[in-house]
C-alpha cells in the first residue's frame, strides 16, 4: 500500500483539550461567566471532579502500558466506516480518507464497530486471520472517547456561548459522560 507523504503518525494517546479540563478543575470554586450552560457545567463538573480525575489517572496508567506494547500496531483509521475505502475492480481496496489515520493498536478501530456481543468479530478474523484482541485496549479507547468528549464539552461551556440546539446536545452529552 502506498501511503501519502508524512502519514500516518503514531498514536500518542493525548486527550485533545485536556489542558482546558485541567484548567477548569482549578476554577471550580469561582463562577464561569461563559453563557447559560457555564454555571450548570461548573456545578456538574465540581460534583464529579474526583471521579473524573480518577478516570484520568487510570487512563494515563493504561496508555503508559499501551505505548510500551507497540510491536502489534497497525494502520488504523480512527473513524471506520464504508465510505473511507474505494473497492477496485480487481477486488483490492484503497483507503481514501487519511485525516484521522494513525499507526495504533487495532482496537482503535474495533472499539467503535464491535458491540457487547462482539458482532463482526468472526468476520474480522476471517479477513485478517487469527489475532489477539485486548479487552483492556478496547476499554482504553472507549474511555479515551468519553474523556475527550468531556474535555470538548467543558471547553465549550467555559467559552462565551448561547443557548442553541448544539449547546443543548453538548450539555446532554456532558451529563451522560459524567454519569
Amino acid at each position: 500500500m502506498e501511503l501519502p507523504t508524512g502519514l500516518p503518525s503514531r498514536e500518542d494517546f493525548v486527550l485533545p483539550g485536556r489542558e482546558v479540563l485541567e484548567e477548569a478543575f482549578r476554577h471550580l470554586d469561582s463562577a464561569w461567566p461563559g453563557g447559560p450552560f457555564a454555571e450548570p457545567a461548573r456545578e456538574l463538573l465540581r460534583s464529579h471532579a474526583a471521579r473524573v480525575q480518577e478516570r484520568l489517572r487510570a487512563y494515563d496508567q493504561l496508555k503508559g502500558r499501551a505505548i510500551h506494547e507497540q510491536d502489534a500496531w497497525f494502520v488504523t483509521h480512527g473513524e471506520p466506516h464504508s465510505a473511507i475505502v474505494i473497492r477496485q475492480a480487481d477486488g483490492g481496496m484503497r483507503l481514501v480518507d487519511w485525516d484521522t489515520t494513525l499507526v495504533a493498536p487495532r482496537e482503535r478501530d474495533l472499539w467503535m464497530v464491535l458491540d457487547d456481543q462482539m458482532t463482526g468479530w468472526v468476520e474480522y478474523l476471517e479477513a485478517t486471520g487469527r489475532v489477539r484482541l485486548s479487552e483492556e485496549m478496547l476499554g482504553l479507547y472507549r474511555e479515551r472517547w468519553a474523556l475527550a468528549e468531556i474535555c470538548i464539552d467543558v471547553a465549550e461551556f467555559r467559552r462565551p456561548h448561547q443557548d442553541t440546539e448544539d449547546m443543548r446536545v453538548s450539555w446532554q452529552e456532558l451529563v451522560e459522560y459524567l454519569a
Side-chain angles (χ1 to χ4, degrees), residues 8-72:
S9 296
R10 295 187 74 73
E11 173 68 272
D12 60 11
F13 297 100
V14 170
L15 284 171
R18 183 173 180 165
E19 63 283 348
V20 175
L21 180 60
E22 298 287 354
E23 178 72 13
F25 286 136
R26 290 189 288 276
H27 292 92
L28 289 175
D29 293 327
S30 56
W32 293 359
F37 292 97
E39 276 300 291
R42 183 181 67 82
E43 288 296 328
L44 183 65
L45 184 60
R46 182 166 52 182
S47 68
H48 291 88
R51 176 69 182 122
V52 173
Q53 289 168 330
E54 178 183 311
R55 289 170 67 184
L56 288 166
R57 282 190 297 277
Y59 175 82
D60 290 341
Q61 289 176 347
L62 193 51
K63 83 175 186 182
R65 289 197 302 272
I67 287 172
H68 287 93
E69 298 175 9
Q70 295 185 21
D71 57 324

Side-chain angles (χ1 to χ4, degrees), residues 65-178:
R65 289 197 302 272
I67 287 172
H68 287 93
E69 298 175 9
Q70 295 185 21
D71 57 324
W73 285 21
F74 306 87
V75 174
T76 63
H77 186 268
E79 297 174 354
H81 53 83
S82 60
I84 66 172
V85 294
I86 294 177
R87 295 192 186 274
Q88 297 176 294
D90 65 2
M93 294 191 293
R94 295 275 186 202
L95 182 63
V96 295
D97 177 6
W98 288 88
D99 291 349
T100 58
T101 304
L102 290 175
V103 173
R106 72 179 80 243
E107 290 84 358
R108 179 173 183 253
D109 285 344
L110 293 175
W111 83 270
M112 291 183 117
V113 297
L114 297 175
D115 60 19
D116 291 338
Q117 290 76 42
M118 298 297 284
T119 305
W121 179 241
V122 171
E123 294 82 358
Y124 183 83
L125 287 175
E126 289 171 358
T128 63
R130 199 172 173 103
V131 296
R132 189 182 118 250
L133 183 67
S134 168
E135 291 290 330
E136 185 176 62
M137 199 59 53
L138 287 173
L140 173 72
Y141 279 102
R142 283 187 191 102
E143 185 67 348
R144 182 178 196 272
W145 184 274
L147 290 170
E149 289 297 312
I150 292 169
C151 291
I152 290 165
D153 292 338
V154 167
E156 279 187 321
F157 296 133
R158 287 186 48 84
R159 289 191 300 264
H161 64 274
Q162 303 298 316
D163 184 352
T164 65
E165 182 61 30
D166 285 344
M167 293 307 282
R168 287 192 292 276
V169 168
S170 292
W171 170 253
Q172 189 58 46
E173 286 176 353
L174 183 62
V175 169
E176 290 171 14
Y177 283 118
L178 291 177

